């Protein structure tokens, strides 16, 4: 299902995570797969703490990253969230 | 001890942790108490143990999280004997550690397995001395222990928890590794097998250690290196390990060691902060010394085949940077299998 800006993202509760050398490491408990997030990924991950909508994530990115454009870069954020979802790091609640 | 998926990333992370002395993987022993009486156990007492409280562990776990620990292995003694066991696991999961548990399986019933699953633990290792009841029970000293371990294995696997059969190959159970390997493949469990027996007494080789002929047979059948620990080994020299850099061990009373297997005290994190202990003069001295091993190891012709472990060297010879009988014997036999 395609993501909409209103969809809410929360962490899979069965992950392990740690800030490591300024970047976020995340493990999915089920398969012990280790993932490393880059700077922007780490930032987005930190925003997911409060189950934000994709729109809210974009707003936070715009506040913190110069040059980030909520409208232009929305699809990149959606792609990233989709990847996180595929890897079972997050759960997306579809809201219209 | 375990091979993790996405190995290259894990190796890179581990090497950064090692360079920066970030204790990425920590093994905590919750208690020395145990309801088994395993034949090779080095524990002096199975009933007395000065154990930290859940509150003390909570504080230490928070400090470990702050220090960068991601992998937390909970062991003992038998960790499920500690009445706060689930509270400690819950706290650890709340702090987002990737938690592994090592147990003899005796107390791991369906309810306990479901609780661990609900807490999102990463994996469970269950110790097996043999693949059938008579020998396992004899070696654990407890009748019925095989049935319980087997039941625990089934509960965990049925729930989809990643579970490993853990086995130490010795002169008393030689040959069982092949049967346990088969069991692991038929059940979908992992198989973790060591052919080093930790000596029960300092400065000695375990009386259950394998002979040269048996090590050879074991290696031929398993096509495996004789020993692997949780540390990512230095593949060029293979003589060093990450103990005291990216790995640490903490005893039931809070004593911190470079690795649970390597009992060189850094300090006690019940009375000081973990950070202070991790950066203590003792820890720094250990790291300085670790860079230069004994002359005999440095010039040894078997070094390419040696799965050198400071912990085993310390236990067997009293000199952690030197050679030790089991290590040298394993290396010599392993070298027979190495490409010319
Ligand atoms: S085989 Fe023995 S002497 Fe050689 S590196 Fe290993 S422990 Fe040292
Ligand atoms: S001391 Fe032995 S068990 Fe500990 S990390 Fe080193 S090689 Fe592994």
């Amino acid at each position: 299902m395609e993501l909409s800006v209103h969809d809410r993202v929360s962490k899979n509760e069965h992950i392990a995570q740690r800030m490591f050398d300024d970047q976020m490491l995340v493990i999915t408990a089920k398969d012990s797969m280790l993932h490393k997030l880059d700077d922007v990924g780490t930032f987005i991950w930190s925003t997911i703490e409060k189950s934000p909508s994709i729109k809210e994530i974009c707003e936070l990115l715009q506040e913190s990253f110069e040059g980030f454009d909520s409208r232009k870069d929305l699809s990149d954020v959606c792609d990233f969230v989709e990847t996180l979802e595929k890897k079972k790091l997050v759960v997306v609640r579809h809201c219209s | 001890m375990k091979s993790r998926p996405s190995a290259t990333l894990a190796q890179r992370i581990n090497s950064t942790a090692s360079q920066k002395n970030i204790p990425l993987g920590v093994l905590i022993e919750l208690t020395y108490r145990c309801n088994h009486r395993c034949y090779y156990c080095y524990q002096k007492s199975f009933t007395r143990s000065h154990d930290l409280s859940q509150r003390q562990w909570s504080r230490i776990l928070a400090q470990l999280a702050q220090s960068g620990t991601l992998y937390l292995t909970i062991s003992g003694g038998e960790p499920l004997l500690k009445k706060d066991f689930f509270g400690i696991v819950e706290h650890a999961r709340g702090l987002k550690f990737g938690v592994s548990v090592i147990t003899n399986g005796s107390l791991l019933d369906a309810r306990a397995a479901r609780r661990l699953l609900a807490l999102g633990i990463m994996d469970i290792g269950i110790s097996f001395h043999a693949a059938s009841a008579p020998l396992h029970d004899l070696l654990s000293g407890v009748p019925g222990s095989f049935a319980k371990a087997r039941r625990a294995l089934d509960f965990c696997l049925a729930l989809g928890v990643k579970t490993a059969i853990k086995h130490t190959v010795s002169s008393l159970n030689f040959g069982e590794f092949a049967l346990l390997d088969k069991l692991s493949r038929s059940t979908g469990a992992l198989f973790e097998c060591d052919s080093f027996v930790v000596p029960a007494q300092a400065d000695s080789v375990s009386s259950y250690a394998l002979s040269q002929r048996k090590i050879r047979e074991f290696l031929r059948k398993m096509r495996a290196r004789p020993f692997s620990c949780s540390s990512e080994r230095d593949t060029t020299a293979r003589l060093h390990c990450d103990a005291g850099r990216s790995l640490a061990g903490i005893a039931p009373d809070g004593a911190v060691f470079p690795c649970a297997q390597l009992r060189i005290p850094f300090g006690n994190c019940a009375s000081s902060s973990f950070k202070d202990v991790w950066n203590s003069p003792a820890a720094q001295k250990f790291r300085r010394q670790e860079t230069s091993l004994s002359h005999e190891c440095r010039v040894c012709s078997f070094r390419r085949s040696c799965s050198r472990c400071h912990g085993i060297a310390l236990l067997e010879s009293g000199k952690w940077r030197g050679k030790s009988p089991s290590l040298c014997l394993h290396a010599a036999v392993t070298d027979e299998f190495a490409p010319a």
Side-chain angles (χ1 to χ4, degrees), chain B residues 227 229-231 233 241-243 247 259 261-262 308-311:
Chain B
F227 175 75
C229 70
S230 53
S231 146
R233 305 301 297 268
C241 70
D242 299 315
L247 297 175
C259 156
Q261 186 103 276
L262 180 58
R308 215 186 155 285
C309 167
H310 302 327

Side-chain angles (χ1 to χ4, degrees), chain A residues 14-15 17-18 21 32, chain B residues 20 69 93 95-96 162:
Chain A
H14 282 182
I15 51 100
Q17 68 171 66
R18 194 64 71 228
D21 212 22
S32 309
Chain B
K20 300 191 171 184
T69 303
R93 285 296 299 131
L95 291 165
K96 298 290 179 210
K162 199 162 113 197

Side-chain angles (χ1 to χ4, degrees), chain B residues 181-197:
Chain B
D181 185 30
K182 216 162 133 190
L183 176 67
S184 76
R185 277 188 266 129
S186 67
T187 55
L190 301 171
F191 185 45
E192 293 168 4
C193 182
D194 263 356
S195 59
F196 279 104
V197 189

Side-chain angles (χ1 to χ4, degrees), chain B residues 84-162:
Chain B
D84 309 318
F85 171 77
F86 284 102
I88 292 169
V89 175
E90 192 174 348
H91 192 78
R93 285 296 299 131
L95 291 165
K96 298 290 179 210
F97 289 100
V99 174
S100 305
V101 175
I102 300 175
T103 169
N104 61 30
S106 59
L107 301 169
L108 194 55
D109 56 15
R111 194 159 161 262
R114 273 198 297 272
R115 268 182 97 175
L116 288 175
L117 176 75
L119 288 170
I121 71 156
M122 223 162 56
D123 49 62
I124 297 181
I126 303 174
S127 312
F128 282 84
H129 298 302
S132 60
L135 186 56
H136 177 95
D137 292 0
L138 183 75
L139 298 180
S140 73
V142 178
S145 57
F146 178 80
K148 287 185 178 168
R150 192 67 185 75
R151 192 193 56 175
L153 181 72
D154 289 343
F155 285 145
C156 293
L157 291 171
L159 289 170
V161 180
K162 199 162 113 197

Side-chain angles (χ1 to χ4, degrees), chain A residues 20, chain B residues 12-22 24 245-246:
Chain A
F20 178 88
Chain B
R12 270 185 284 130
I13 300 288
N14 195 68
S15 107
T16 307
S18 243
Q19 281 160 22
K20 300 191 171 184
N21 299 328
I22 300 170
L24 190 65
R245 289 185 226 275
S246 65

Side-chain angles (χ1 to χ4, degrees), chain A:
Chain A
M1 187 189 250
E2 209 149 276
L3 296 183
S4 94
V5 287
H6 303 295
D7 290 346
R8 303 200 86 85
V9 189
S10 53
K11 289 181 187 172
N12 176 346
E13 59 180 27
H14 282 182
I15 51 100
Q17 68 171 66
R18 194 64 71 228
M19 267 312 268
F20 178 88
D21 212 22
D22 295 329
Q23 287 183 324
M24 185 59 78
L25 296 181
V26 189
I27 310 174
T28 31
K30 188 114 186 123
D31 55 9
S32 309
M33 195 67 88
L34 178 65
H35 308 271
K36 186 171 147 199
L37 307 182
D38 65 11
D39 290 351
V40 181
T42 298
F43 178 85
I44 295 178
W45 187 257
S46 72
T47 69
I48 295 176
E49 214 64 67
K50 292 179 184 153
S51 305
S53 65
I54 292 195
K55 184 168 172 249
E56 286 162 348
I57 294 174
C58 288
E59 284 164 5
L60 289 165
L61 279 164
Q62 190 154 328
E63 276 169 28
S64 304
F65 288 88
E66 215 175 298
F68 182 90
D69 183 324
S70 264
R71 267 192 308 173
K72 256 188 15 219
D73 298 324
L74 173 67
S75 66
D76 285 348
V77 174
C78 287
D79 286 350
F80 180 69
V81 170
E82 260 169 13
T83 308
L84 294 181
E85 191 187 21
K86 250 186 239 146
K87 292 184 170 174
K88 302 211 170 5
L89 301 180
V90 300
V91 179
V92 177
R93 193 153 50 88
H94 296 282
C95 310
S96 46

